[in-house]
Amino acid sequence: MEICDAENEAERVSPDEDPESNKGGAPRKNDNKDVENQDQKYEEESTKSGDRLKKKKKKKKTKITSEDGQVNGTVTENIDLLLENLEQSNSMSLQSEDCGGSIRRSVLHVEHRNLNPETELKRYFGARAVLGDQRPRQRNRHFHRSTWMTSPKDSWPRFSRPGISMTLLDSKNGIHCFTFEHNRDYQQVQFKFLEAVESMDPNNIVALLQLNPYHIDSLLQLSDVCRIQEDQEMARDLIERALYSFECAFHPLFSLTSGTSRLDYLRPENRAFYLALYKHMMFLEKRGCPRTALEYCKLILCLDPDADPLCMLLLIDFLMLRSREYKSLLQLYQDWEEHRNLSQLPNFAFSCALCHFHLSQQEDLDPEESDKQRRHADQMLQSALIMFPGVLMPLLDLCTVQPDSTVSSHNFFGPKSQIGQPPALAELTALYVGRTYSLWKEAVVMLWLEESVKEVLRRVDAKDALVEDCQNKRKQRYQSAPRNIHRHVLLSEIKEASSTLPL
């Protein structure tokens, strides 16, 4: 069972997504008529119930027209309604997509409700614990549109457009390529920001933000300063404000969930959006919302799945394991292995084995299926250890586990396995171990790892053909890592991995 590629998805794109049928993202006349008809129907019903006062007010509101005859009173609501319908139709087309004769949703499908951490927190603690006794209040009217990624807060400065807009560059096979653009005023603020950064004084950035409260780069930079000073709440709030500023600039056709919207990281104006999403995702993960963080991880990956500029494939397995999305991870591995060689990444080699192990431990599984999952787990873990022997010792060290003398003294897992690693492999290994060691600390997992290590040493001593084959592959590959991996290591701030970066 394979995920259909982007071109096949594009052929089945719904008419709502087609830019030719909806140029510039303007609302279609038929849709506006539908909404107006609904308004009229509502007015008639209210008349029948004798509510004449409400009817008069309603008529006054809808009769205020501009010179070109468009209804101003409800145009914002109409556009929001159309956008919501467009998002729903996009997600439905993905949901009912026919891949290889079977209907299933893409593993990287993003859902709006899962972008809100409150959804996950309510699932853990219940709505009353998350919301308390507060009643949902209507959002302040000066926030001009509803947003999916963040909710505007009363403590934020009044929103005024900072000078960012989004443009549709190209539409081909249902894939829409967008870019953010800065107007002249925003560019002037950007120059002042660069001067403030060069001054090495955070107070200059604070002063700039007081005048331009929604300038993106200033918000991101000040968030980093707050995080270093351990003011996590303020750091997170500034990132959310940056995301809100971005979302208010979205093009009407830009969709967070359809999987058909693309942003080129190589365009400087787009980079801040990638960074804001990444930082927001990491705050969510640290806050104990791995499922929400996973949704943002999928969103970043879908913005440019081919280039993957921030190399989210090095992180997605960890978030799926944290969220206990075991089947989704195995599905992603199955669908992408052929064209992306995921088995060459240490994180997927070990994480998929761990997935099968956790599935084998589920109590509601019948014994036959449990044994099958366990055999898969054993096989995959042994293959991962033979391919990446340099992972074991650092992993045990961070788990504060003293290895057996037969293991530590053996050439295959000993110091030689660390020293002999190619530079790119050392980077990937350090990144994986530094990020996921906590997942291996569980006693039952450690016992399983110990059994697999003993079996691997037996195969090494028996001169198993796979051992030599993997050794040759390690020598040929991993000589130098692509730039997106270096970017990911820098953003991860994992010291063990950062120390392996080239000068």
Side-chain angles (χ1 to χ4, degrees), residues 108-110 256 259-263 274 297-305:
L108 296 179
H109 176 71
V110 177
L256 294 168
T260 59
S261 299
R262 300 286 181 268
L263 274 179
Y274 275 93
C297 183
K298 292 192 287 186
L299 172 57
I300 297 169
L301 186 54
C302 287
L303 289 175
D304 193 347

Side-chain angles (χ1 to χ4, degrees), residues 284-304:
L284 288 167
E285 193 271 325
K286 287 173 184 171
R287 190 181 166 189
C289 298
R291 183 65 188 79
T292 314
L294 172 61
E295 212 68 12
Y296 278 92
C297 183
K298 292 192 287 186
L299 172 57
I300 297 169
L301 186 54
C302 287
L303 289 175
D304 193 347

Side-chain angles (χ1 to χ4, degrees), residues 42-43 54-62:
Y42 172 78
E43 287 171 18
K54 279 190 179 179
K55 180 185 170 185
K56 284 180 181 178
K57 285 183 179 177
K58 183 83 177 177
K59 282 188 175 179
K60 278 183 183 178
K61 182 182 178 183
T62 53

